[in-house]
Amino acid sequence: MKNNRKQRGAYDEVSFRMVFLLVFFLMTTVTGFAQNKTISGIVVDKAGEAVIGASVLVKGTSNGTITDFDGKFTLSNVPEKGIITITYIGYKEQNLPIAGKVTLKVTMVEDTETLDEVVVVGYGTQKKTDLTGSVMSVKSEDITSVTANNPVQALQGRVTGVSVVTDSRPGKSPTLRIRGNGSISAGNDPLYVVDGFPLMNGSLNEINANDIASMEVLKDASATAIYGSRGSNGVIMITTKAGAKDSKSLTFNANYGFQMPGRLVETMNHEQFVDFINSAYMNSKGITIYNDENPAPNIHTDWQRETIKSSSPVQDYSISLNGTSGDTQYMMSGGVYLQDGLLSNYDYNKYTFRTNLQHKFNNFIKLGTHLQYTYSEGGLATTTNYEGALTELWRYGWPTLPVYREDGSYAIPNDNPAISSYFDSGIKWNAVNYYNEVKKESSVSRLFGDVYAEFQLAKGLTFKTNFGLDIANTRDYNYITSDYTLSTGTGEGGNGYSKKISRITENILTYTNTWGKHRLTATGVYSWQNYIYENLSIDGKGFANDETGAWDISQANRETVDYGSDKYQNSLVSWTGRVSYAYNDRYLLTATARYDGSSRFGANNKWGFFPSVGLAWRASQENFLVDNKYITNLKIRTSFGVTGNQEIGNYKSLAQLNADNYIYNNGELQGYYESIGNPDLKWERANQFDIGVDLSLWNRLHITADYYYRKTSDLLYQVPIPSTSGFSSMLSNVGSVLNKGYELSITGNIINTNDLKIDATVNLSRNINKVKELYNDVESITLSSGLGLSRYLKVGESLNSRYALLSDGIIRTEEQLNEYRKIEGTAKLGDEMYKDLDGDNQITAKDQVNIGTTDPKLIYGVGLNVQYKKFSLNILGNGAHDFVGGTSYLQIAENQINSSVICMPSLYAYERMWSESNPSGTYPAPGASNIHESDRINSGWNYFVVKSIALSYDFGKNPIKGIKGIKSLSATVNFQNFITFSNQRGYNPENGDIKYPWVKIVNIGVNAKF
Amino acid sequence: MNMKSIYLRKKTLLVGRWSVIAALFVIVTLFSGCTGLTESPYTFVDPGNYYKSEEELESALNSVYADFRKFASNYKTLMILELVTEHAMPAHASKDGVISFNCWQGVNQATTYNIQIWDSGYEMINRCNVVLGRGDGVNMSDEKRNQVYGQARFFRAYTMFVLLRLYGGLAIPESYTSGLNGLEIPRKTVDDTYDYIIQDLEYCIANLPTRSQWGSSSYYKASKGAAQALLGDVYLTRGCMDNYNTTYFQEAKKQLSDVINSGEYELLSDYKSLWYWFVEEASKNTKESLLEVQFGPTQVSALHCNFGINVTDESLGGKMYHRSAISHKDYLSYQDDDVRKQCFLTEYTITGTDTRRYFEPEYKGFSGKGEGKWPSSAPGNMKFYDRTKSCYETGGSKANLIAIRYSDVLLNYAEVENYLNGPTSDAYEKLNKVHQRSLSVPVTPGLSKEEFDDAIYQERTWELVGEGYLYFDELRTDRLGKNVYEYKTYMYENGYFNCQKLQFVPQKTFLWKIPQTSLDSNPVLEQNPDNISDPRYPLK
């Protein structure tokens, strides 16, 4: 009756009479039969603790209540033969017949049935059991288990087929690849979709990890083809938390972490350094640096310690409220993330606010919104040339150099004429100065969200329309003070604005029906999305006053002021459809198609068609398996489809007039020159096949395995054209690249008792990349070639192959020396020998061979969860096996690779350098010559990182006496990145990078839920 | 129950109708006009809708000038062409292969050691062709149009003349490039290429105004005089290369004397007034200049830093590298009272200190040696320097580069006259004009034809070193091999800094290889045959 009255408001005048009649009819019938009574009860969990705020509802009515602080409820006006339904998030729904009872005790059972999970896919959700594609899901507790400024960092080691390379710098995003690189010159980044909004403006930095309910990684064409021209590199769907149904909660998270530099390189002591530098110069130039005439100063500067802070804090606080009030589901949150860097002038702070609302206005209209605002500020002490000041410790950071002069100003090598000539372009080097006196900051103000309306057109038929906006305003600032040792005595810098706007509108028609053994969902989408970028920047030199810096650009010398601005846009229009059909819960079909039009492509190829089909068979539902005790789930999936990649930049198909001005009498003469366009330019096209199996044994061991084959053709490449045309190349669609691979993930519930639970996960991914075709029968393209690491694109080899000389060992004996001198006339003992593969008695780039690729042969992740009573321990590790690393100054120094100055090795390398007193040394001698990058230095890299070791204690419900209403309280100590194994000594164990120290974090967190 | 089912059906219809209407309304309002997929460029213009007014055609011509600046002031070309002669020596950097070029290493290969100017030359030619191809539809007077065409053809001729001397016969595109069809063009013969250049320049002479007709607002433009001077140079070169063919020399003399007799040009009284270092803006577009590459505060040059002395000091202007420098021999060949000797930087005092740095030739180019601790291997060439504060701060020089100078016209005339009639008083007069501007004593009278020719070459060295002329002069007069052989051997044997053993001696017919990438992209292009080291000067 209450129900009816409420509905009435929704109808307009026209139907008033009908409604009146109906209300009358229902009232008479219902009240006529009801014999009502009052019941009361208590709701507890398995441990017997009261469940607060659980919803108790008479089934089929809106007569309901929620449990109080003691888990108790009282419900009046309950029909004698009714059923009450008790629901609470995280627990299975309980339906109990009331018949004959006035008091009830209900024990809630935790909902651990993962197979009935709903998974977010493009333009909708699907039951996990109905999936035909390769989709992996990461839930919120895993996302927040690692402190990182960017939530995608949490995917590292957790999802097969996804490779993540950490960038430790505050505010920087990791590099993420799904199933390898499919493109040479268009992008290889996946598409990120947040609450249905495909980001055109890439970064997820501004999203608060605490707001995320789940991240889904869509890997195969059955899942990604619905994103058509943007699906080729995989899709990551991010879903933020929605208001929980029928309950409310307030969650507070606080994390405080100490960041510390990990993997610092152990260096030589004073005597060792003097010995090294003297032997190196004696060996290479026949002189010594420190001798009686020029004794080594009594200084021992540890440049790493001077430059890198020993610790700095990272803090993360968030508060979040969510629930349902009447017909409104709500979620609102606020977060603060504050991270200081381990180098001066590095930091990243962000403030996030989010509201997700959904209101059921009546039975046929639902309205909702997702809205996020973020303000972030980040600093990176970088200028184009000196981002790598830390890397240059290994070139110039002699421990005999002071950091400061006696008067307190910055010291530079040039201060001491006796040694300054050994520093080449580093004569003004001072790493401490570079980080202190260079500032580069940017602040981002980003509003991001949508408003939608969903219409229930008929039973099973809904229409949803939305409009979304993502607007990011960025303010950049950079300044180098007059104290910068390389400056010309005055400051220089600039500032600028940029604005990125993406607008989207989507219209989704969904039809769902179930009849007999058939289940069908059909979705049709029309969408339009547009992206605009604008910027304006100004910079100048000659600032007399460091106090105002570059904020007051008028302080710069007028003649040096330079400025620029730009604007571009692109649009995408799409028609999309999907049909999912399940017969008897066993035979599953998903077919998708997208027809995409992009402004970026040539007039003759604006539109592209991207179909896919996925099939799955749930064998475990068949009669012969349905009651099998061992095989509790078995699904075989396969899919085939076509996806695209449109990341080529804007206006690449058009002939353009570009500005190229001349000048006369200091006045600019406007000049325009013509470029040629390619009206046939179109998408890169990936044909992808996937076959996979999901298997569960005893319902405790879960195995997922996939094989995929993705061939990307019509690759965008600057193909050379006859240069007598005035142009050297034109962007064209040529060639193809293949990625194929295997993925395996195994999760086991090893022990599952009341007091002790142990789960373990292992996942492995292997990707093989091959160039299948270049253009015009060309078999090889040189990207860079020399005696170092060379890069070629060769048919039959990986895109990321590296070519280098093969090491033949260190020259240890006179016989070896005499022999090798036929190849290298100036060779000395302690140099390295290389294989002269073409037998021309010279070492040239022709002697290089493919030494592997920068993509690991195998990536893997392992996880272990142990829960003992109220303690839990989570350990997560990830690693990669067998890949080629690039060369840093540290490696140049360790191996004395040819460089304009003698570089300083680590203690590790110094102790292993060949010398007469160390005749079995494995590293070239100090000052050795003709050393190049080789398989010895660059190939066969591997690493394993224990990403996190987290120990938590769950205080349970209402742990504090006298304070009620605490649903849960837990505390966690997390050790991140503490244990690393790597066969190189660069700071970053994953790629050898030495631009920024490896960051290990001890993190203390409290999570309270009310 | 019957009632209920009727109601439900009605409800479905109602809901359906209103929702559909609402939805359609939303769709119509939101998406009308949203489906356009044409790209809207903001920062460039579509060439198809351009070239309607004289101004628009001028803007295409301005981009020719801008590209000409890039082509003609390419430091690599200037540097490498001088480095392979005996007039320059490599400095500290190994960058750009300076050491290898200096000793003529690997000159027969088409990749690393090469004059990489082929592609940028053709970019220049195409820009000229755009002006010529797009101009017909523009509404403007024929006279004006012909002047625009004249300028475009002038720069096309200039560029082709440079490429011709480096690579031999050229591929000649018939029009500008607008698509991928017909781009595989074969090379023409050397004679055909000369004829094409000459045809262009004759058109220029017929249609271009003189310098004074252009007036001071347009001194940067190609003029009739510049075309005549260039044509004179073309005929002089063609004559020299064609076994000293006097027919061509006659033509050269005619063109050069037209320039001289036009009264449009004269030598400045002080050689130093040509250079920014000494007189700043007054050095630009003087009466001695027939064609000048323009720079200014917003369009700066980096030439100074490549011919610098490897220091940054406020008194010297912008940051300097040191890649190539005047050879010691050349610097020491100046008489002490020669004004031109003052255009080399041999000493400076570090700003804010009393520390004086100075050049000491006895250290053979090794920097930082001796008392003077000179930071570079040789004196610096001030011709491109800008020592103003803005250059110090921005690193960019505002100094112009003179592409055709009147002293070159006079010296060419003297040379041609000597070829035709021996060292006549006319020839002496032209040579002495240049000589006596900077030196008090005139050229020794009564020289033989050969001696006079050598005197002209000596004068060219003093007058033009570091400006990009000397390689071409030595090649056409068959001096290059001998001079390279003698001086580079001397430098190597005496242990001069970075001077390595000579690997090759060029002959008069020497041609650079076309860069491999350019060949790869055009299958009908034929590579030049391998050069043979001059057998008259056997390498040890």
Side-chain angles (χ1 to χ4, degrees), chain A residues 500-746:
Chain A
K500 298 172 190 168
I501 305 184
S502 170
R503 287 171 293 164
I504 188 170
T505 178
E506 284 174 338
N507 297 278
I508 307 173
L509 197 62
T510 309
Y511 176 71
T512 316
N513 199 1
T514 310
W515 70 100
K517 292 178 173 176
H518 310 272
R519 195 161 63 242
L520 173 80
T521 305
T523 308
V525 185
Y526 166 80
S527 72
W528 171 88
Q529 190 167 7
N530 168 269
Y531 176 74
I532 302 175
Y533 173 86
E534 296 169 15
N535 80 341
L536 174 65
S537 65
I538 183 160
D539 58 70
K541 297 181 181 182
F543 287 92
N545 185 346
D546 288 333
E547 297 303 312
T548 55
W551 288 118
D552 184 358
I553 205 80
S554 65
Q555 298 289 320
N557 175 354
R558 276 300 151 90
E559 285 192 359
T560 67
V561 171
D562 197 8
Y563 43 81
S565 68
D566 198 4
K567 176 169 182 171
Y568 52 81
Q569 75 158 317
N570 61 71
S571 303
L572 195 68
V573 175
S574 320
W575 300 91
T576 310
R578 175 176 53 216
V579 174
S580 318
Y581 170 73
Y583 176 73
N584 208 8
D585 278 342
R586 291 171 205 179
Y587 309 106
L588 312 167
L589 163 84
T590 308
T592 69
R594 184 165 177 131
Y595 189 55
D596 252 348
S598 168
S599 64
R600 281 179 169 166
F601 291 90
N604 306 337
N605 279 312
K606 287 274 186 219
W607 291 85
F609 182 63
F610 304 95
S612 84
V613 61
L615 296 168
W617 175 41
R618 287 185 69 202
S620 49
Q621 298 296 106
E622 298 286 358
N623 294 337
F624 59 89
L625 273 181
V626 75
D627 288 322
N628 192 301
K629 279 180 200 155
Y630 310 108
I631 299 174
T632 45
N633 179 42
L634 175 61
K635 178 156 96 175
I636 294 158
R637 302 172 268 111
T638 184
S639 70
F640 178 77
V642 181
T643 51
N645 185 355
Q646 65 144 7
E647 292 309 316
I648 58 159
N650 303 295
Y651 313 125
K652 293 284 164 65
S653 74
L654 298 180
Q656 303 188 3
L657 277 186
N658 295 302
D660 194 0
N661 293 355
Y662 201 50
I663 192 169
Y664 179 64
N665 273 344
N666 299 343
E668 294 253 345
L669 303 168
Q670 180 75 63
Y672 281 125
Y673 71 95
E674 247 178 82
S675 68
I676 47 170
N678 180 356
D680 295 324
L681 204 66
K682 62 182 178 192
W683 339 81
E684 293 190 347
R685 193 177 168 84
N687 291 334
Q688 188 170 359
F689 167 77
D690 184 290
I691 184 160
V693 58
D694 300 325
L695 173 68
S696 297
L697 301 171
W698 308 285
N699 211 13
R700 286 177 69 173
L701 185 64
H702 308 283
I703 298 167
T704 297
D706 276 90
Y707 167 80
Y708 60 87
Y709 181 99
R710 172 163 64 118
K711 190 176 173 192
T712 316
S713 46
D714 294 338
L715 294 180
L716 293 155
Y717 191 75
Q718 289 286 353
V719 175
I721 63 172
S723 59
T724 40
S725 65
F727 302 95
S728 55
S729 67
M730 189 163 88
L731 192 63
S732 311
N733 295 92
V734 291
S736 61
V737 167
L738 172 68
N739 282 282
K740 60 180 177 183
Y742 314 90
E743 296 166 355
L744 176 67
S745 146
I746 303 173

Side-chain angles (χ1 to χ4, degrees), chain A residues 937-951:
Chain A
I937 300 167
N938 299 91
S939 75
W941 285 26
N942 53 59
Y943 76 85
F944 177 71
V945 175
V946 179
K947 199 88 208 154
S948 111
I949 303 174
L951 184 67

Side-chain angles (χ1 to χ4, degrees), chain B residues 20 23 179 337 435 490:
Chain B
V20 167
D337 62 340
H435 186 82
Y490 168 82

Side-chain angles (χ1 to χ4, degrees), chain A residues 58-306:
Chain A
V58 179
K59 195 166 189 176
T61 72
S62 67
N63 183 12
T65 182
I66 56 169
T67 55
D68 65 11
F69 284 137
D70 300 317
K72 290 183 175 152
F73 68 91
T74 309
L75 207 54
S76 56
N77 209 11
V78 180
E80 185 59 42
K81 287 187 177 168
I83 290 173
I84 62 163
T85 302
I86 296 128
T87 50
Y88 187 69
I89 191 160
Y91 292 88
K92 278 187 178 166
E93 185 180 287
Q94 302 277 336
N95 290 298
L96 300 171
I98 307 163
K101 291 174 191 156
V102 277
T103 54
L104 289 163
K105 185 172 178 184
V106 184
T107 306
M108 300 296 283
V109 180
E110 276 177 55
D111 186 2
T112 50
E113 184 64 90
T114 49
L115 289 179
D116 255 311
E117 265 177 65
V118 165
V119 170
V120 179
V121 294
Y123 307 103
T125 56
Q126 260 184 320
K127 279 171 73 180
K128 195 173 176 184
T129 48
D130 279 0
L131 284 177
T132 60
S134 178
V135 176
M136 292 208 131
S137 189
V138 178
K139 296 296 182 198
S140 68
E141 55 275 17
D142 289 333
I143 295 163
T144 49
S145 70
V146 179
T147 300
N149 59 56
N150 192 310
V152 297
Q153 183 71 48
L155 297 175
Q156 191 176 38
R158 290 191 199 277
V159 182
T160 54
V162 177
S163 99
V164 178
V165 177
T166 311
D167 188 332
S168 308
R169 293 174 294 172
K172 285 287 173 183
S173 312
T175 306
L176 190 143
R177 295 284 175 267
I178 299 177
R179 292 184 167 177
N181 294 297
S183 182
I184 300 172
S185 47
N188 280 302
D189 287 327
L191 173 71
Y192 293 101
V193 178
V194 179
D195 291 325
F197 193 141
L199 298 190
M200 275 181 153
N201 136 19
S203 169
L204 285 178
N205 267 348
E206 281 86 23
I207 288 176
N208 182 352
N210 292 300
D211 287 346
I212 299 178
S214 70
M215 284 201 264
E216 266 85 16
V217 181
L218 317 187
K219 296 188 288 192
D220 72 339
S222 173
T224 58
I226 200 149
Y227 285 105
S229 63
R230 294 178 292 179
S232 245
N233 298 325
V235 179
I236 294 180
M237 313 276 308
I238 288 135
T239 309
T240 59
K241 290 174 180 166
K245 275 188 181 149
D246 306 322
S247 73
K248 64 177 181 184
S249 62
L250 181 66
T251 310
F252 178 69
N253 270 301
N255 282 286
Y256 191 95
F258 300 91
Q259 304 175 91
M260 288 162 277
R263 296 176 58 82
L264 290 183
V265 177
E266 208 178 335
T267 52
M268 296 173 281
N269 67 26
H270 191 75
E271 289 68 38
Q272 288 166 328
F273 171 73
V274 171
D275 169 58
F276 165 77
I277 203 81
N278 279 344
S279 340
Y281 274 94
M282 182 50 78
N283 189 16
S284 60
K285 302 233 156 77
I287 51 171
T288 56
I289 305 297
Y290 292 117
N291 43 43
D292 292 345
E293 265 177 52
N294 178 37
N298 192 20
I299 297 170
H300 192 75
T301 304
D302 183 341
W303 281 99
Q304 287 184 103
R305 289 284 173 206
E306 295 290 339

